[in-house]
Each structure stands twice: as C-alpha cells, then as structure tokens.
C-alpha cells in the first residue's frame, strides 16, 4: 500500500512540474510579443516633384494610376532597407528618345530622403487633362522581369514609358496637362507637368507601355 501511494505521489509531482514549465514558457512568449512596436505610417501628400504640381481644379487621382503601381510579387526587403515611399521621392520625365515609330520617355524617381531605400517593379502612370480626367487607356506592362533597385540618398531610377507615334499610327490624340506617377506599392502619387506633346488616346495603337525600373535616369 505504501509503495503504491509513493508511486502515485511521484507521478502527480512530475505532472505538476511539466505544467509549471509550460506556464513559464507561455509567459516568455507573451512578453516578447507585447514589446514589439508597429512600423510608423507614411504621411500622404507631403511631397511633390520639383517644379511640378497638380493642374488647377484637378479632381481625385485616377484609380489606375494607383493600382498599376502595386507589385504584390515584390521580394521582402532587409531589416535595414525598405521600399521608397512617395514622401521620400521626386518625379520627373526625361527627354524623348524616339525610334522605329515609337516615342520613348524615361519616368524618373529620385530619392530625396537621407536614407537608402528600394524600388521594385513598375510605376503607376496616367495622363490627365487640366481637370484631372484620365486620357487614354490603361498602361500595359512589358514582360521584362523586374529587379530591385537600391537608391542611396540622391540616387535615381527610371522606368520606360513608350507609345506609337500618333502621326504614323493614325491614333486619336490628346495633349495631357500632367502625368500622374505613383511609386511601386504606394498609394500617394506625384504629378509631373507633361511637356511631351500629344499622346494616343483612342483607336488602333493607342496603348501606352511600361518597362520596369532600372538604376539611373535613362539619359
């Protein structure tokens, strides 16, 4: 009887020790989770490109200019380098480099912040008139594989924007007031005064095409 009682007592004590260890481990995990702070939110509308601005009386930004910038397949950034936010960038459009019946413009984003950040994928773009109305169809993306571009402070990256010359293709045209540019995976846009003349907006060969970002200005 005594031996049997001692055996039961030892089993109870062993079970209690396991439960106590589990409780201690659970408390450690909870403390670690509570100590993690969330990342700060990026403020919107705090930056525009140098020498550019929204047209007078412009309405809300075209939805396509935002949705086309989202790149869900972007690779995860390292702990020390994250993607560039709109508030850290300025936008510009470089000189046309025409060829083979095509008009080719580099859309340039420059890092105006004091940290290194990255761009991956395509910008969201939309031509708009003075009232903010989008002109022409949604841009089409090329099949080129995007690469992560790391921008040091002051560094630039460019994405190619091209379309068929309307005088050759016979497409209907309009002259935009602004090119709306949204950085990859961002929702807040930048606006660049468009100085590239008429663009195709209807009929055959009216599509605007984009290639993903590369380092430099495309000059």
């Amino acid at each position: 009887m005594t031996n049997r009682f001692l055996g039961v007592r030892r089993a109870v004590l062993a079970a209690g020790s396991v439960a106590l260890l589990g409780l201690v481990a659970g408390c450690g995990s909870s403390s670690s989770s509570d100590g993690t702070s969330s990342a700060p939110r990026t403020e919107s509308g705090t930056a525009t490109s140098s020498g550019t601005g929204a047209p007078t009386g412009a309405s809300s930004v075209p939805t396509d200019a935002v949705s086309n910038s989202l790149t869900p397949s972007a690779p995860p950034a390292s702990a020390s380098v994250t993607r560039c936010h709109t508030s850290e960038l300025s936008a510009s459009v470089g000189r046309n480099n025409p060829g083979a019946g095509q008009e080719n413009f580099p859309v340039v984003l420059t890092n105006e912040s004091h940290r290194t950040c990255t761009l991956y994928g395509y910008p969201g773009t939309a031509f708009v008139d003075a009232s903010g109305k989008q002109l022409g169809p949604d841009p089409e993306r090329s099949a080129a594989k995007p690469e992560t571009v790391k921008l040091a402070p002051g560094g630039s990256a460019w994405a190619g924007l091209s379309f068929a010359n309307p005088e050759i293709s016979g497409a209907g045209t309009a002259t935009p007031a602004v090119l709306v540019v949204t950085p990859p995976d961002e929702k807040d846009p930048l606006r660049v005064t468009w100085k590239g003349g008429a663009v195709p907006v209807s009929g055959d060969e009216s599509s605007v095409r984009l290639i993903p970002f590369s380092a430099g200005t495309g000059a």
Side-chain angles (χ1 to χ4, degrees):
M1 176 69 75
T2 301
N3 291 337
R4 182 180 180 186
F5 174 77
L6 289 175
V8 171
R9 186 170 182 271
R10 289 169 181 163
V12 171
L13 289 174
S17 298
V18 172
L20 179 59
L21 288 174
L23 179 60
V24 172
C27 291
S29 299
S30 176
S31 174
S32 174
S33 176
D34 291 341
T36 301
S37 60
S38 59
R41 295 179 59 189
T42 303
E43 294 183 2
S44 63
T46 58
T48 57
S49 56
S50 176
T52 64
T56 303
S59 61
S60 59
V61 177
T63 302
D64 295 314
V66 175
S67 62
N68 287 335
S69 75
L70 301 181
T71 311
S73 59
S78 67
S80 59
V81 181
T82 59
R83 78 170 188 268
C84 301
H85 300 296
T86 302
S87 60
E88 300 172 307
L89 299 167
S90 63
S92 61
V93 176
R95 183 180 301 177
N96 184 19
N97 183 25
Q102 295 286 315
E103 309 300 318
N104 306 298
F105 294 87
V107 178
V108 182
L109 293 181
T110 300
N111 182 5
E112 304 290 352
S113 74
H114 298 292
R115 73 179 184 95
T116 297
C117 59
T118 62
L119 293 174
Y120 177 86
Y122 305 78
T125 61
F127 291 114
V128 299
D129 62 17
S131 67
K133 179 182 177 181
Q134 180 174 338
L135 302 173
D138 300 341
E140 298 178 356
R141 295 180 177 184
S142 73
K145 182 179 179 180
E147 296 182 358
T148 299
V149 181
K150 185 178 293 186
L151 295 184
S156 298
W158 69 282
L161 181 152
S162 65
F163 50 83
N165 185 321
E167 294 182 1
I168 297 175
S169 68
T173 64
T175 301
V178 165
L179 177 67
V180 178
V181 181
T182 308
D185 297 309
E186 292 289 298
K187 294 183 179 180
D188 298 321
L190 299 166
R191 294 171 171 83
V192 184
T193 300
W194 179 253
K195 300 179 181 179
V199 302
V201 296
S202 63
D204 295 335
E205 298 296 328
S206 60
S207 295
V208 175
R209 289 169 289 279
L210 290 168
I211 64 172
F213 279 106
S214 298
T217 62

